[in-house]
């Protein structure tokens, strides 16, 4: 079709499997790039600045993620709204949605940045950051918070493009940010000796450049969705739709990050071997999850377009394909990590105690990992159809309400060797609720957003 010839993927026709996998692949590669330059940040500060700087970057990451979660959620809501209008063939409403999303971003960027800067010191106090790392953590967070507009802008561009089935271009933007970030790390830290401030500056400069490059590229290559940042065209009905889907997703991401910190605080009480094992295990877990995350984003866009086009059979087929692929991937990664966990942990630490604790982690979380992956796919599919509250509720219930108390109970009752089984308890609860709600079909009653606002 003409739209696809211009780089926009119309998922309402053709092979569902082809669309889902071809859309997911650039997202997967992009996630690997993100992991790469995050690792470069840690490597540079750990080897050339010091442990305090490494701790500062570690403290800053979850805090910055909390600040950007709301806008990442709104970008997700934008993906769903745009995909449904695009699937329905209503390009005028796609245009209105793009303008509304960007107007929201431009108007709120400065207030959010000011709020983030004001909250840096209170958050450092609440996190009880060690005094040896406090100053560098403050410097890092102040600089990165001052440049939040670049991160938010990149996610806004990505949300718009994902809605019209274009994940390749978002990969290009991320590649630009990754390469520039690595170069700036090496120049500002190794050559200029700027320490943690250099790492922070490298981050915000690369992300801001990626956002601005994205604006230029989209307007040049895809004039049908050209972005006019200061047009200030705002459609209240569309904004309510975007916010109705995006706000729960943003709240979910913020709350999940709090749950991760709560589990970490318990793990820390058992000594540095468990802390190190949990840190390394999290990295291995995150690498395994990249494919699930890419498939989830893909099925959200696929379901969104086909819901807008009123093609429920394609929705069902797409969900079956995504779930099957996720189950196969999770089982494969379970086999790999169970077999190679000892060797993998020894790559990060020579300490036998770390590998032993890491073995407890992997043996506990990987067998039920398929439940976690399936839950995420089904939640992504329902979110693509416009159902946002239930996916948020099941994720929060699974990752916080059930998992955190289970980890604490098992740790106190049976010791640290058994505490990681709390992950599976939380995932099982979320999986049961999610699959029951999916097969009830109630999420379909939400209907097409394109119909609501036509």
């Amino acid at each position: 079709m003409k739209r696809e010839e211009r780089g926009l993927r119309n998922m309402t026709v053709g092979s569902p499997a082809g669309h889902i996998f071809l859309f997911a692949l650039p997202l997967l590669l992009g996630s690997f790039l993100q992991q790469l330059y995050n690792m470069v940040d840690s490597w540079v500060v750990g080897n050339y600045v010091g442990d305090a700087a490494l701790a500062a970057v570690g403290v800053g990451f979850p805090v910055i993620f909390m600040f950007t979660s709301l806008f990442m959620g709104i970008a997700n809501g934008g993906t769903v709204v745009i995909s449904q209008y695009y699937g329905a063939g209503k390009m005028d409403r796609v245009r209105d949605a793009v303008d509304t999303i960007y107007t929201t971003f431009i108007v709120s960027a400065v207030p959010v940045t000011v709020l983030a800067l004001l909250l840096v010191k209170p958050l450092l106090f609440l996190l009880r950051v060690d005094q040896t790392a406090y100053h560098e953590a403050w410097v890092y967070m102040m600089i990165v918070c001052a440049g939040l507009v670049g991160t938010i802008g990149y996610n806004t561009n990505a949300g718009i493009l994902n809605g019209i089935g274009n994940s390749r271009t978002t990969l290009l933007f991320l590649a630009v940010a990754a390469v520039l970030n690595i170069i700036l790390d090496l120049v500002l830290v190794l050559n200029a000796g700027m320490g943690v401030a250099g790492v922070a500056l490298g981050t915000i400069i690369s992300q801001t450049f990626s956002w601005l490059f994205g604006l230029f590229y989209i307007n040049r290559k895809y004039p049908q969705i050209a972005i006019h940042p200061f047009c200030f065209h705002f459609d209240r009905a569309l904004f309510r739709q975007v916010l109705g889907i995006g706000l729960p997703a943003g709240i979910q991401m913020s709350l999940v990050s709090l749950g991760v910190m709560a589990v970490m605080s318990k793990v820390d009480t058992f000594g540095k071997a468990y802390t190190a094992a949990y840190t390394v295990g999290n990295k291995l877990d995150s690498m395994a999850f990249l494919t699930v995350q890419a498939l989830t984003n893909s099925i959200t866009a696929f379901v969104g377009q086909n819901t807008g086009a009123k093609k429920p059979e394609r929705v069902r087929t797409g969900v079956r394909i995504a779930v099957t692929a996720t189950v196969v991937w999770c089982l494969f990664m379970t086999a790999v990590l169970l077999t190679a966990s000892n060797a993998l942990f020894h790559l990060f630490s020579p300490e036998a105690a770390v590998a032993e604790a890491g073995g407890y982690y992997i043996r506990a979380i990987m067998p039920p990992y398929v439940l976690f992956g399936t839950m995420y796919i089904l939640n992504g599919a329902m979110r693509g159809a416009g159902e946002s509250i239930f996916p948020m509720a099941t994720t929060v219930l699974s990752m916080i309400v059930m998992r955190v108390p289970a980890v604490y109970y098992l740790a106190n009752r049976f010791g640290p060797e058994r505490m990681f089984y709390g992950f599976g308890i939380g995932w099982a609860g979320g999986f049961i609720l999610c699959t029951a709600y999916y097969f009830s079909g109630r999420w379909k009653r939400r209907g097409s957003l394109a119909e609501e606002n036509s």
Side-chain angles (χ1 to χ4, degrees):
M1 289 183 68
K2 188 176 182 180
R3 284 184 285 181
E4 279 195 58
E5 290 173 0
R6 293 181 177 180
L8 313 184
R9 181 177 295 279
N10 178 15
M11 299 186 185
T12 64
V13 295
S15 167
H19 285 307
I20 290 168
F21 294 135
L22 289 175
F23 185 86
L25 183 58
L27 297 176
L28 178 60
L29 294 174
S31 296
F32 275 115
L33 279 176
Q34 283 184 313
Q35 291 288 328
L36 174 63
Y37 77 76
N38 287 337
M39 288 173 65
V40 169
D41 278 353
S42 298
W43 179 79
V44 169
V45 296
N47 285 278
Y48 294 97
V49 184
D51 291 341
L54 185 59
V57 174
V59 167
F61 178 77
V63 175
I64 301 303
F65 183 78
M66 285 182 62
F67 287 142
T68 58
S69 287
L70 178 60
F71 282 92
M72 290 171 68
I74 291 175
N76 188 281
T79 294
V80 174
V81 171
I82 289 171
S83 68
Q84 291 203 16
Y85 282 117
Y86 184 71
K90 298 182 178 181
M91 289 301 294
D92 58 327
R93 299 305 285 161
V94 170
R95 168 80 272 148
D96 291 339
V98 170
D99 289 341
T100 298
I101 292 166
Y102 244 89
T103 296
T104 303
F105 160 48
I106 294 297
V107 169
S108 57
V110 172
V112 168
T113 299
V114 172
L115 179 63
L117 290 171
L118 292 174
L119 288 174
V120 167
K121 280 193 174 181
L123 285 169
L124 288 174
F125 173 77
L126 290 174
L127 289 169
R128 289 183 282 187
V129 177
D130 190 277
Q131 285 301 310
T132 59
Y134 182 90
H135 177 70
E136 292 191 308
W138 178 81
V139 169
Y140 178 82
M141 288 175 60
M142 289 294 289
I143 294 174
V144 174
C145 285
L148 280 176
V149 63
T151 302
I152 297 169
Y154 163 78
N155 282 291
T156 302
N157 290 348
I160 291 168
L161 287 169
N162 287 347
I164 52 177
N166 188 323
S167 57
R168 289 176 297 173
T169 303
T170 57
L171 173 62
L172 172 63
F173 301 159
L174 191 57
V176 168
V179 172
L180 185 58
N181 187 75
I182 292 171
I183 292 172
L184 289 172
D185 272 356
L186 299 176
V187 171
L188 296 177
V189 178
L190 272 62
N191 290 347
M194 294 181 66
V196 74
V199 174
L201 283 171
T203 297
I204 66 169
I205 291 171
S206 61
Q207 291 177 344
T208 301
F209 182 83
S210 177
W211 163 48
L212 296 175
F213 173 72
L215 279 177
F216 170 78
Y217 191 93
I218 291 171
N219 289 349
R220 183 180 178 87
K221 294 290 185 179
Y222 309 115
Q224 62 272 53
I225 57 162
I227 296 170
H228 307 289
F230 301 103
C231 70
F232 296 113
H233 174 71
F234 186 80
D235 187 306
R236 290 185 179 181
L238 279 170
F239 177 71
R240 284 195 297 269
Q241 290 180 341
V242 171
L243 204 62
I245 297 169
L247 187 59
I251 293 172
Q252 169 192 310
M253 285 185 279
S254 296
L255 291 176
V256 167
S257 67
L258 289 175
V260 170
M261 286 187 269
V263 171
M264 186 70 173
S265 69
K266 187 61 176 177
V267 173
D268 288 345
T269 64
F270 294 105
K272 65 179 183 180
Y274 274 92
T275 299
Y278 182 65
T279 301
V280 174
N282 246 328
K283 291 184 182 296
L284 297 176
D285 168 21
S286 296
M287 293 296 288
F289 188 67
L290 293 182
T291 298
V292 177
Q293 185 64 60
L295 287 169
T296 299
N297 291 336
S298 183
I299 198 62
T300 297
F302 181 88
V303 170
Q305 287 197 19
N306 283 284
T307 297
K310 301 180 183 178
K311 295 185 176 181
E313 184 54 43
R314 283 182 66 84
V315 169
R316 287 191 291 271
T317 300
V319 173
R320 284 197 298 269
I321 291 168
V323 168
T324 301
T326 298
V327 169
V328 171
W329 173 256
C330 288
L331 293 176
F332 170 73
M333 287 307 302
T334 297
V336 170
L337 291 180
L338 286 176
T339 303
S341 66
N342 191 62
L344 289 171
F345 278 91
H346 275 297
L347 285 176
F348 290 90
S349 173
E351 298 293 329
V354 173
E356 182 181 9
Y360 295 140
Y361 179 83
I362 294 298
R363 287 192 294 273
I365 75 159
M366 289 315 298
Y369 206 75
V370 66
L371 304 180
F372 178 48
T374 303
M375 179 186 74
Y376 246 78
I377 293 292
L378 294 180
N379 278 339
M382 290 187 285
R383 190 174 286 115
E387 171 59 75
S388 58
I389 299 299
F390 193 84
M392 178 192 74
T394 54
T395 303
V396 170
L397 181 74
S398 172
M399 304 289 282
I400 301 176
V401 177
M402 295 184 69
R403 183 176 72 166
V404 174
V407 168
Y408 276 67
Y409 172 78
L410 292 172
N412 294 333
R413 184 77 169 81
F414 302 103
E417 298 88 353
R418 299 289 181 267
M419 64 181 171
F420 296 121
Y421 286 99
F423 285 58
I425 292 172
W427 296 341
F431 170 80
I432 291 169
L433 290 174
C434 182
T435 52
Y437 189 75
Y438 176 82
F439 284 109
S440 76
R442 293 181 183 178
W443 55 279
K444 299 175 186 177
R445 299 175 188 174
R446 181 69 176 78
S448 170
L449 299 174
E451 289 178 337
E452 287 183 22
N453 203 30
S454 59

